[in-house]
Amino acid sequence: MSVEVLKEQHTLKIIENAEIEDAETIFELLQKDPKLSLDLSECKHLHTSCLQVLMLMKPNIVAWPKDKGLYMWLSFLKNGKKEG
Amino acid sequence: MNPLMEQFVNEAKDILQGVSDSLMALEASPENKDLMNELFRLVHTLKGSSGIFEEFSFITKMLHKVEDIMDNVREGKIQFSTYITDAILEAMDIVSMVVDQLEESDGLFDPSFNKTAEEVTHSLSSLLENKEEYRDDSHVQESGEKEQLETYLREIAGLIPEDTKRKISEKGDFVFIAYRPEPECFYKGDDPFLLIKTVPGIVWGSVLPIESPDISQNIDIYRCMIGFDAISLASLEEVNEHLQYVSDQVKIGLFPALESCSLSAKDTASEVPKEVFEILNAQKEVLKSASGECFKGKVQAASNVISNVLMVLDREDLLGEVDKALNQVLNNNDTAPLLYLVEQIMTQTQVKKEKAEQVLSKQEPREEKEEKKKEQPVVSVPDVHSKIKTLKVDTAKVDRLMNLVAEIVVAKNSLLYLSKKAEEIYGARELSREIKNKYSTFDRIVEEMQDAVSEIRMMPVSVIFQRLPRLVRDISKKLGKKVNLRLIGEETEADKNVIESLSEPLVHLVRNSLDHGIEAPEERRQKGKPEIGNLTISAYQEADQVIIEVADDGMGIDPEDVKLKAYKKGLIDEEALERIDDQKALDLIFLPGFSTAESISEISGRGVGMDVVKNTLEKLGGSVSIETELGKGTKVKLHLPLSMAVTKVMIIESANQTFGVPMDTIVESVRVSKDSIKKIKHQDAALLRGQIIPLYSLNKILGIPQEQISNEDGELAVLVLRIGRARVGLVVDAFKGTMDVILKPFQGVLASMSYYSGSAILGDGSVLIVLNPKEFWHVS
């Protein structure tokens, strides 16, 4: 499982690769709790389906990926959560 | 095997067949673009499915190369030839082997395929390398398309950070990529993000929404709703190669850094939230109001906020300007330099919405797009009522249905016993009649049900015929023979099990015909025959049998040769050599260990030939016969039962046990008086209709130490059976009539008992053992 919920930090942590199977999990978690933050520090790749979930839900990012290649692509998340 | 892999296996099998068919057709008409596209589509789908499984990456890689080759053929860079067909077939064979193994071993496969696949991939690559010069303009966009891309690039230029722009101007030109994956791409195993992320020389990339669904509604997250823009500093060719399999979903263009005005600063515009302006405006107010004691603090706070905003805007390049302005402000106690900078930032930064959609709408007219949207709802559910006419059902499910129907047949028969019991034991005649009435209704329905299920299990012989063109092609090529294959009656149907078990014998017969039957072109010319040999395989129905004929116009079989060969191999003795007539001589071919080929070739003639064919057919309840004319050709006829569901058996009694004997072997049942039985040497025999029939006691055959019982008139019950071409008499105790049963072969340890074909359950619940008399006498 590459998706972990850190309850105390109120954070969803994605470790290594988020596969297509994880998209639904991430989507449901963020839908259930839109204030859940995201820790991508250990994330290496997000399947397109997971990526689009992040694009839809625009969660608050508490830690950016160490992977430079991935970080570059996630600029759309830098503006944080939109109102509404 | 997990369901995903199961689906892969099933799909791959269909695709592999399709690939083989398309290739054969392409060889006949290499110019046919539709066929080539179809082939490409099939290989692409297969590659996509294999890509889902990490362990099959070697397949994906190999198929990738196959696609490369076909792409080159499509574009006319390589001439389609038999080399290409061979190479592709070789690759498909590996996939086929892996798929077969996955199926057999429930999801496991031999890792050594990995190496084989690598070798094939390598040879595919060398095929590609040895082609004519690769033209550079292969993927150059049409000018209109490039203009569109340039316009779009100009619009989004503001998103591109300054340091990237610097890198671009250092290099001189750059490749811009706009990738809009198709919505259904996830189902093909594509991961567009991974694909774009791994484009060589990537220096900038951005993700953008293509659709913006309402997140409070149900959303199909497996529909791709995002797109990508990217800049690469690799060559156009490299980028094109990387993205060639989604070429219909990408727009790629090479742009010079200097000529292009797209990246000039004045055009800087980016997608920035309104909040940025609000924040900047607030800082302006703060700066304007800054005075007195708080001046330094306020100015510093504002400059910090401005710096942060610049970072958000990816304008780190301006951070130096902020520091410079801040120093000026603090030195001169005048906020003007900072205010000026904020103004500048604000004018350069405008909110531009729906950029990505604009590009899309430029690519296709808006109305068309909307129409498309209407056609494809977000969650696409196929219209069940109008479209699905055929169902793909696991054969195991059909088999289960079949077994259940068989059980109903048995349960139904018990009603008859019940009615008998009601009348004989309880004396309830009325009730007995009523039960019988119900039984006949029941019987009718069950019979129909049985027909219906049998029908489901019927498959056309084309399923096995379709493999033959490839086989004939490969073998004839290897042997240097020219063969024209004709397939007749492909639509003829038979039970699934019959069809499945027929595949191997048929392949063997075809090999035999090509190897031993049809002569080399030279030899044929000398004999005054057309150079191209004919191989005709036909299927047709005859009464309740399916007949399959494999006929060639080759050299035929010489019975004398066969006899001599059999004698040399010690299969017959000298006496038999003299005695055996031509027809019987031909039957010798079916003996285990017989092979007429002078040398054992790779194609056939391993000495495990025709006896296997014969055994397979007999196991299926069929038979095989040969007709041949020396110098003119040979015809092998396979007779098969239409359905194996119901077997008609004769019930007999021997040593107080009942047995079933399959009706298809029985010629007649007779009573033979004990007195008329003669002994020839040590063998009992009787004269029946002018023919001497050897008699064998069933008890003796089965090892029951009991004499057969005769009736009051001193007559023995004899079943005359047809075993091969001979007739033999099987002595039993009594005949009990015939019955339709559902024969189930023995399983496990019992399966090795070849004297029995299996068991069946009778209406009263008792088990009937069905004999397999063909196994009693091997050589007659």
Side-chain angles (χ1 to χ4, degrees):
Chain A
M1 181 72 178
S2 51
V3 179
E4 221 172 76
V5 181
L6 309 173
K7 271 194 183 150
E8 281 172 27
Q9 288 99 318
H10 199 66
T11 298
L12 190 65
K13 184 166 184 170
I14 295 178
I15 297 154
E16 301 243 308
N17 298 338
E19 309 287 353
I20 188 163
E21 298 85 10
D22 300 319
E24 201 152 11
T25 318
I26 301 174
F27 183 58
E28 277 168 9
L29 284 169
L30 288 172
Q31 219 176 16
K32 224 187 285 170
D33 183 359
K35 284 184 184 151
L36 206 59
S37 293
L38 209 60
D39 179 346
L40 294 172
S41 54
E42 274 166 55
C43 178
K44 286 190 179 144
H45 176 65
L46 293 156
H47 186 272
T48 316
S49 53
C50 301
L51 187 73
Q52 78 176 6
V53 166
L54 300 191
M55 180 143 230
L56 286 170
M57 308 304 287
K58 294 251 161 61
N60 183 33
I61 310 289
V62 290
W64 293 93
K66 287 173 197 150
D67 185 314
K68 285 253 166 67
L70 179 62
Y71 173 72
M72 176 188 78
W73 287 92
L74 299 181
S75 60
F76 67 88
L77 288 169
K78 283 186 196 165
N79 297 330
K81 203 171 178 69
K82 279 183 180 168
E83 289 300 312
Chain B
M1 209 174 352
N2 65 44
L4 204 61
M5 190 164 304
E6 217 165 273
Q7 201 189 339
F8 168 71
V9 167
N10 287 333
E11 196 184 25
K13 276 159 102 188
D14 286 349
I15 293 176
L16 285 169
Q17 189 51 55
V19 168
S20 168
D21 289 349
S22 305
L23 273 173
M24 293 300 112
L26 258 177
E27 264 201 334
S29 51
E31 296 302 315
N32 191 329
K33 282 252 157 61
D34 290 343
L35 277 173
M36 185 40 98
N37 289 337
E38 168 69 4
L39 186 61
F40 194 89
R41 188 188 64 77
L42 288 167
V43 174
H44 183 65
T45 315
L46 187 59
K47 192 189 82 174
S49 326
S50 71
I52 298 173
F53 305 93
E54 209 175 318
E55 59 267 43
F56 298 154
S57 60
F58 64 95
I59 293 184
T60 318
K61 253 187 236 163
M62 186 173 67
L63 294 174
H64 194 92
K65 271 281 171 290
V66 172
E67 279 186 326
D68 279 350
I69 289 181
M70 286 193 294
D71 216 28
N72 277 286
V73 174
R74 265 208 304 206
E75 287 168 15
K77 288 183 201 153
I78 309 184
Q79 179 101 36
F80 188 79
S81 65
T82 48
Y83 294 110
I84 292 184
T85 318
D86 285 344
I88 299 177
L89 285 175
E90 203 179 344
M92 293 304 146
D93 283 346
I94 291 176
V95 184
S96 173
M97 280 189 279
V98 172
V99 167
D100 284 349
Q101 216 174 51
L102 283 174
E103 198 174 34
E104 275 166 26
S105 53
D106 203 30
L108 299 172
F109 69 96
D110 187 351
S112 68
F113 281 126
N114 204 326
K115 214 172 151 235
T116 329
E118 250 170 46
E119 283 162 18
V120 173
T121 312
H122 188 75
S123 66
L124 288 169
S125 306
S126 61
L127 197 76
L128 264 176
E129 279 158 21
N130 293 334
K131 71 173 164 44
E132 299 164 20
E133 280 295 302
Y134 207 99
R135 269 176 294 157
D136 250 341
D137 55 353
S138 58
H139 290 275
V140 162
Q141 313 291 322
E142 284 170 22
S143 57
E145 211 172 75
K146 194 168 174 181
E147 264 168 37
Q148 266 184 11
L149 201 62
E150 195 172 333
T151 317
Y152 173 60
L153 184 58
R154 222 181 286 244
E155 281 169 15
I156 61 146
L159 289 173
I160 301 163
E162 285 304 311
D163 58 331
T164 308
K165 287 178 188 167
R166 256 197 309 278
K167 277 184 208 159
I168 293 171
S169 51
E170 273 165 29
K171 199 212 162 208
D173 60 8
F174 66 100
V175 178
F176 181 70
I177 307 152
Y179 178 20
R180 305 289 176 266
E182 54 182 18
E184 283 79 31
C185 63
F186 297 161
Y187 293 100
K188 294 183 181 164
D190 290 354
D191 182 357
F193 183 38
L194 185 65
L195 188 67
I196 191 89
K197 225 173 76 173
T198 49
V199 166
I202 209 99
V203 288
W204 173 81
S206 129
V207 189
L208 51 151
I210 301 295
E211 289 174 30
S212 308
D214 184 355
I215 49 168
S216 58
Q217 301 293 313
N218 258 345
I219 296 174
D220 180 8
I221 54 163
Y222 295 117
R223 176 184 166 85
C224 186
M225 296 176 276
I226 55 179
F228 305 91
D229 289 336
I231 287 178
S232 159
L233 296 183
S235 71
L236 181 64
E237 206 182 322
E238 274 177 277
V239 175
N240 267 326
E241 199 186 329
H242 187 86
L243 295 167
Q244 61 183 309
Y245 304 106
V246 290
S247 60
D248 53 330
Q249 300 158 38
V250 286
K251 301 262 181 278
I252 306 172
L254 182 70
F255 296 94
L258 295 172
E259 281 172 43
S260 167
C261 51
S262 56
L263 298 179
S264 66
K266 65 177 175 191
D267 213 23
T268 311
S270 53
E271 192 185 358
V272 177
K274 278 185 215 139
E275 290 85 341
V276 169
F277 290 90
E278 286 164 16
I279 293 169
L280 287 175
N281 271 326
Q283 301 321 305
K284 263 161 75 179
E285 293 307 313
V286 170
L287 287 171
K288 278 176 193 164
S289 67
S291 61
E293 277 179 26
C294 308
F295 180 81
K296 202 179 163 189
K298 277 188 177 174
V299 170
Q300 216 136 33
S303 79
N304 280 346
V305 172
I306 295 167
S307 296
N308 284 340
V309 168
L310 285 172
M311 274 158 83
V312 167
L313 294 175
D314 265 328
R315 294 298 302 267
E316 284 91 347
D317 53 310
L318 291 178
L319 288 177
E321 298 287 320
V322 177
D323 284 342
K324 229 192 265 173
L326 179 65
N327 279 337
Q328 283 177 4
V329 170
L330 291 178
N331 287 342
N332 306 333
N333 268 355
D334 182 5
T335 55
L338 263 179
L339 276 170
Y340 177 71
L341 190 66
V342 172
E343 284 291 337
Q344 254 193 335
I345 297 170
M346 282 173 79
T347 45
Q348 280 180 20
T349 316
Q350 293 167 32
V351 184
K352 288 210 175 180
K353 282 180 183 169
E354 296 175 2
K355 281 281 160 44
E357 276 167 81
Q358 277 172 20
V359 150
L360 264 192
S361 60
K362 269 174 199 159
Q363 283 163 3
E364 43 183 282
R366 188 163 275 275
E367 304 95 89
E368 205 178 291
K369 194 187 155 206
E370 269 161 19
E371 244 171 56
K372 270 196 177 170
K373 265 190 177 169
K374 265 179 227 160
E375 279 167 23
Q376 301 172 325
V378 178
V379 183
S380 60
V381 178
D383 188 348
V384 178
H385 299 288
S386 64
K387 280 182 191 159
I388 300 178
K389 277 192 178 158
T390 47
L391 275 178
K392 262 194 180 176
V393 183
D394 191 342
T395 48
K397 286 183 185 167
V398 180
D399 287 345
R400 181 161 168 246
L401 189 63
M402 188 81 177
N403 286 337
L404 288 173
V405 170
E407 272 169 45
I408 280 201
V409 172
V410 173
K412 166 206 81 174
N413 286 345
S414 67
L415 280 180
L416 270 186
Y417 285 87
L418 188 64
S419 95
K420 218 186 219 172
K421 207 170 167 189
E423 189 176 341
E424 286 171 4
I425 298 175
Y426 302 104
R429 215 172 208 184
E430 273 301 300
L431 182 65
S432 162
R433 199 164 32 228
E434 227 167 279
I435 294 174
K436 260 189 195 155
N437 275 343
K438 289 275 175 279
Y439 167 79
S440 55
T441 322
F442 208 15
D443 189 41
R444 186 173 45 81
I445 298 170
V446 168
E447 214 163 278
E448 256 178 59
M449 223 157 104
Q450 215 173 342
D451 281 352
V453 179
S454 309
E455 222 166 88
I456 295 176
R457 288 172 53 100
M458 292 297 240
M459 281 169 90
V461 289
S462 58
V463 179
I464 41 171
F465 274 21
Q466 61 191 7
R467 293 174 49 193
L468 299 176
R470 160 91 196 271
L471 187 78
V472 170
R473 174 194 176 276
D474 285 1
I475 298 176
S476 54
K477 209 175 147 208
K478 224 175 247 174
L479 294 169
K481 293 180 178 177
K482 290 180 180 168
V483 182
N484 177 26
L485 174 71
R486 273 178 69 206
L487 298 172
I488 300 169
E490 289 170 276
E491 66 291 337
T492 313
E493 286 189 324
D495 187 86
K496 172 185 145 280
N497 287 354
V498 174
I499 295 283
E500 275 172 358
S501 359
L502 203 57
S503 169
E504 206 178 316
L506 199 57
V507 167
H508 194 86
L509 291 178
V510 168
R511 282 187 172 155
N512 267 346
S513 277
L514 293 174
D515 201 9
H516 309 314
I518 293 171
E519 310 92 332
E522 186 80 358
E523 202 181 333
R524 287 181 71 90
R525 250 201 320 271
Q526 281 168 6
K527 284 182 180 170
K529 287 181 179 181
E531 222 175 83
I532 301 173
N534 281 307
L535 179 64
T536 310
I537 302 169
S538 42
Y540 55 93
Q541 213 171 326
E542 204 176 79
D544 59 348
Q545 280 195 322
V546 175
I547 316 279
I548 292 180
E549 289 181 358
V550 180
D552 64 61
D553 64 348
M555 58 180 90
I557 304 169
D558 186 354
E560 290 303 316
D561 276 358
V562 174
K563 270 196 275 185
L564 221 65
K565 197 98 194 170
Y567 172 65
K568 275 186 194 159
K569 294 210 169 199
L571 297 169
I572 53 168
D573 53 24
E574 209 164 330
E575 186 199 353
L577 184 67
E578 298 293 316
R579 186 168 43 85
I580 285 176
D581 62 26
D582 286 358
Q583 193 56 52
K584 277 204 173 138
L586 284 180
D587 288 347
L588 295 172
I589 291 173
F590 297 113
L591 292 181
F594 186 91
S595 172
T596 50
E598 285 305 323
S599 64
I600 286 175
S601 67
E602 196 192 334
I603 311 299
S604 59
R606 290 188 191 89
V608 286
M610 296 299 278
D611 63 311
V612 176
V613 175
K614 189 181 170 217
N615 284 344
T616 314
L617 271 129
E618 283 180 355
K619 259 183 212 152
L620 291 171
S623 61
V624 52
S625 64
I626 293 190
E627 289 165 30
T628 183
E629 203 174 328
L630 202 57
K632 292 256 176 80
T634 309
K635 188 197 274 179
V636 181
K637 242 175 159 179
L638 309 179
H639 303 252
L640 292 149
L642 204 53
S643 162
M644 307 205 304
V646 179
T647 315
K648 221 179 183 68
V649 294
M650 176 153 212
I651 310 226
I652 51 119
E653 210 176 80
S654 198
N656 290 325
Q657 294 176 51
T658 46
F659 295 100
V661 180
M663 282 297 275
D664 57 351
T665 54
I666 300 175
V667 180
E668 58 178 335
S669 56
V670 289
R671 291 260 170 200
V672 177
S673 145
K674 268 186 173 174
D675 303 334
S676 65
I677 295 173
K678 302 275 183 297
K679 271 210 190 297
I680 300 177
K681 287 196 177 170
H682 293 289
Q683 177 64 52
D684 282 345
L687 191 67
L688 280 172
R689 299 181 216 291
Q691 208 180 347
I692 296 169
I693 307 279
L695 297 180
Y696 297 88
S697 145
L698 179 61
N699 284 352
K700 217 179 252 171
I701 290 169
L702 298 181
I704 303 169
Q706 224 169 48
E707 283 291 311
Q708 301 294 156
I709 303 164
S710 56
N711 65 1
E712 307 92 53
D713 301 334
E715 288 170 334
L716 288 170
V718 176
L719 277 180
V720 181
L721 307 175
R722 190 191 306 111
I723 305 293
R725 285 178 195 280
R727 291 185 177 196
V728 290
L730 184 66
V731 186
V732 298
D733 285 356
F735 307 126
K736 291 275 194 174
T738 64
M739 190 177 265
D740 280 342
V741 294
I742 310 254
L743 184 61
K744 294 201 175 157
F746 284 138
Q747 298 198 330
V749 183
L750 291 178
S752 59
M753 303 186 1
S754 60
Y755 279 15
Y756 304 95
S757 15
S759 65
I761 295 174
L762 297 180
D764 58 356
S766 61
V767 176
L768 177 75
I769 303 290
V770 179
L771 302 170
N772 184 11
K774 282 176 187 165
E775 289 290 319
F776 294 174
W777 305 277
H778 266 294
V779 186
S780 51

